[in-house]
């Protein structure tokens, strides 16, 4: 299993603007905003959120992105936000412990595996901005919504690997014995493995991954951003898989790295959910609506995140269009299925 990372907690001194329990199901006319306000501000939430006075966010987004992102929310709303940053696994573990203890310690969760949380942990709600998302990014049970797409694909360091030498399939990785020990993968890439099994079938997919591990000896690394930065720095030449948005993030910083798409392209989402026991429920629902807004998703594309809205272009343009030329498989599964797949990943990559 992945080695645990210590959570990094940072309070963002912002000021609150909204609070309480929102009725997002109200008619659109009741949510009409003055033109001077951002479209994501819902009038019915505003007064209650001001009364609540603050917002507590558990998130996995690194502070370089998260602090200025939540500054946008502060500037428009005045809400004080406490942002607690940790890894996906640690966030889920912390939420589980606090839920069992009936602790009302957080309002909003923003990370990839939000969909794995039990239904009773998350509030059922209908943010108006969700109507602009691609259908796959809207949970059928209305308990989570995708803020950005985590498309899974390999990446490489352009100083060490030529574009002409890139494999055209995962089978062709086996032709690159020179990459042995110079290839990395994140320790929690069970969603990528789910996509491999869905594409190849479990028996063939398992054999393929076993052969890749035996031939290339991939290094298992904690953290998708760590993988992206390590490949960009040349510590590893290739990422067997990573989130495309994070590869682009490092590329935009000037590092010699890029991704290339292979079948299958697994897709999960960096998602947002609201605690069913939120101490500041109106502020949380307003913040969730903000995260799904055009303004927020455009901001995230500045660092390479891939939008889930149909009216926001990628940075650089055309990334999602290119990925969709391949076989895109949505790799969202139940907590039990994911646990089983993570166990299989650990077995195949010899992490235990």
């Amino acid at each position: 299993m992945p080695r645990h990372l210590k959570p990094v907690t940072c309070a963002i001194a912002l000021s609150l603007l909204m609070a309480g329990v929102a009725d997002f199901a109200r008619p659109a006319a009741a949510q009409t905003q003055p033109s001077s306000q951002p479209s994501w501000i819902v009038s019915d939430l505003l007064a209650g959120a001001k009364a609540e006075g603050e917002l507590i966010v558990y998130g996995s987004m690194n502070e370089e992105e998260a602090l200025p992102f939540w500054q946008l929310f502060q500037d428009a709303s005045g809400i004080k936000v406490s942002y607690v940053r940790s890894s996906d696994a640690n966030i889920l573990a912390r939420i589980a412990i606090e839920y069992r203890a009936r602790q009302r310690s957080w309002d909003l969760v923003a990370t990839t595996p939000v969909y794995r949380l039990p239904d009773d942990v998350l509030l059922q709600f209908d943010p108006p901005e969700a109507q602009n998302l691609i259908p796959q990014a809207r949970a059928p049970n209305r308990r989570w919504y995708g803020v950005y797409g985590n498309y899974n694909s390999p990446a490489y360091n352009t100083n060490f690997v030529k574009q002409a030498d890139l494999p055209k399939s995962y089978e062709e990785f086996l032709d690159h014995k020179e990459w042995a020990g110079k290839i990395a993968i994140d320790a929690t890439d069970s969603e990528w493995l789910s996509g491999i099994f869905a594409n190849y079938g479990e028996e063939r997919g398992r054999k393929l991954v076993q052969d890749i591990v035996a031939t290339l000896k991939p290094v298992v690394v904690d953290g998708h951003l760590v993988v992206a930065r390590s490949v960009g720095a040349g510590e590893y030449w290739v990422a067997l898989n990573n989130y495309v948005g994070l590869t682009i993030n490092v590329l935009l910083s000037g590092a010699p790295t890029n991704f290339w798409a292979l079948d299958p392209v697994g897709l999960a989402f960096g998602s947002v959910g609201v605690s069913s026991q939120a101490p500041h429920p109106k502020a949380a629902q307003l913040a969730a609506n903000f995260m799904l807004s055009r303004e927020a998703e455009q901001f995230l594309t500045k660092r390479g995140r891939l939008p889930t809205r149909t009216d926001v272009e990628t940075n650089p343009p055309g990334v999602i269009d290119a990925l969709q030329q391949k076989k895109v498989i949505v790799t969202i599964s139940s907590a039990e299925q994911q646990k089983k797949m993570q166990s299989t990943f650990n077995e195949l990559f010899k992490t235990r």
Side-chain angles (χ1 to χ4, degrees):
M1 292 294 292
R3 297 166 290 284
H4 292 295
L5 301 174
K6 293 183 179 179
V8 180
T9 302
C10 58
I12 313 172
L14 319 176
S15 45
L16 233 177
L17 194 186
M18 323 132 217
V21 194
D23 181 10
F24 273 128
R26 295 196 174 200
Q31 300 168 4
T32 302
Q33 305 300 321
S35 59
S36 60
Q37 290 185 328
S39 62
W40 52 266
I41 290 184
V42 180
S43 296
D44 291 348
L45 293 176
L46 189 59
K50 283 182 176 179
E52 289 172 354
E54 65 177 311
L55 175 72
I56 303 168
V57 179
Y58 285 1
S60 59
M61 189 185 299
N62 65 83
E63 290 88 349
E64 293 176 3
E65 289 182 85
L67 302 190
F69 179 76
W70 286 109
Q71 185 71 39
L72 286 178
F73 184 67
Q74 172 193 355
D75 292 344
S77 70
I79 291 186
K80 177 184 177 182
V81 177
S82 294
Y83 181 71
V84 183
R85 195 268 171 185
S86 190
S87 68
D88 290 347
N90 283 344
I91 288 172
L92 293 190
R94 179 169 182 169
I95 286 176
I97 292 169
E98 292 173 349
Y99 182 77
R100 288 195 294 270
R102 310 304 292 177
Q103 295 178 5
R104 302 180 66 206
S105 48
W106 63 278
D107 298 304
L108 193 77
V109 58
T111 189
T112 298
V114 173
Y115 67 85
R116 297 178 198 157
L117 291 168
D119 282 354
D120 53 359
V121 173
L122 298 174
L123 182 72
Q124 199 170 52
F125 70 115
D126 296 290
E129 293 292 338
Q131 65 185 335
N132 300 300
L133 305 179
I134 60 174
Q136 301 95 319
R138 301 193 295 265
N141 63 6
R142 301 172 15 247
R143 296 183 192 275
W144 61 262
Y145 298 88
V147 179
Y148 52 86
N150 286 328
Y151 292 81
N152 289 257
S153 216
Y156 66 108
N157 184 294
T158 58
N159 286 343
F160 294 102
V161 177
K162 296 178 181 178
Q163 185 176 7
D165 294 334
L166 297 175
K168 295 180 175 59
S169 68
Y170 278 103
E171 289 91 340
E172 290 189 14
F173 270 85
L174 300 174
D175 298 332
H176 291 275
K177 295 180 176 61
E178 73 276 12
W179 292 350
K182 299 174 182 177
I183 189 168
I185 190 167
D186 180 76
T188 62
D189 266 343
S190 59
E191 288 163 342
W192 168 79
L193 188 61
S194 295
I196 292 290
F197 282 10
N199 185 65
Y200 289 96
E202 182 169 351
E203 182 177 352
R204 184 182 168 196
R206 178 186 286 268
K207 178 64 164 56
L208 173 60
V209 174
Q210 286 174 330
D211 289 346
I212 289 174
V213 171
T215 302
L216 298 179
K217 301 174 176 55
V219 179
V220 180
V221 177
D222 284 326
H224 289 94
L225 183 58
V226 175
V227 172
R229 287 175 172 171
S230 297
V231 172
E235 181 179 357
Y236 304 106
W237 292 5
V238 176
L240 181 59
N241 176 67
N242 205 3
Y243 295 160
V244 172
L246 293 180
T247 299
I248 294 174
N249 174 280
V250 177
L251 171 65
L252 292 172
S253 73
T257 189
N258 211 335
F259 74 95
W260 81 102
L262 295 178
D263 287 332
V265 175
L267 172 60
F269 300 99
S271 301
V272 60
V274 172
S275 172
S276 59
Q277 303 178 54
H280 315 104
K282 286 190 176 175
Q285 292 178 67
L286 184 73
N289 202 44
F290 157 72
M291 293 192 76
L292 302 176
S293 70
R294 189 166 188 265
E295 177 184 5
E297 292 207 10
Q298 283 179 324
F299 180 87
L300 291 176
T301 64
K302 293 179 180 179
R303 290 182 177 269
R305 302 278 181 179
L306 302 180
T308 54
R309 289 179 62 106
T310 58
D311 58 355
V312 177
E313 180 56 277
T314 60
N315 175 32
V319 173
I320 292 179
D321 291 340
L323 291 167
Q324 289 178 340
Q325 299 303 308
K326 297 296 181 178
K327 184 176 181 180
V328 178
I329 298 175
V330 177
T331 56
I332 293 173
S333 58
S334 68
E336 189 61 34
Q337 290 171 324
Q338 189 280 329
K339 183 178 179 181
K340 179 180 178 182
M341 192 59 64
Q342 185 64 55
S343 178
T344 302
F345 180 96
N346 295 342
E347 173 194 338
L348 292 173
F349 285 88
K350 308 181 190 308
T351 62
R352 62 179 182 182

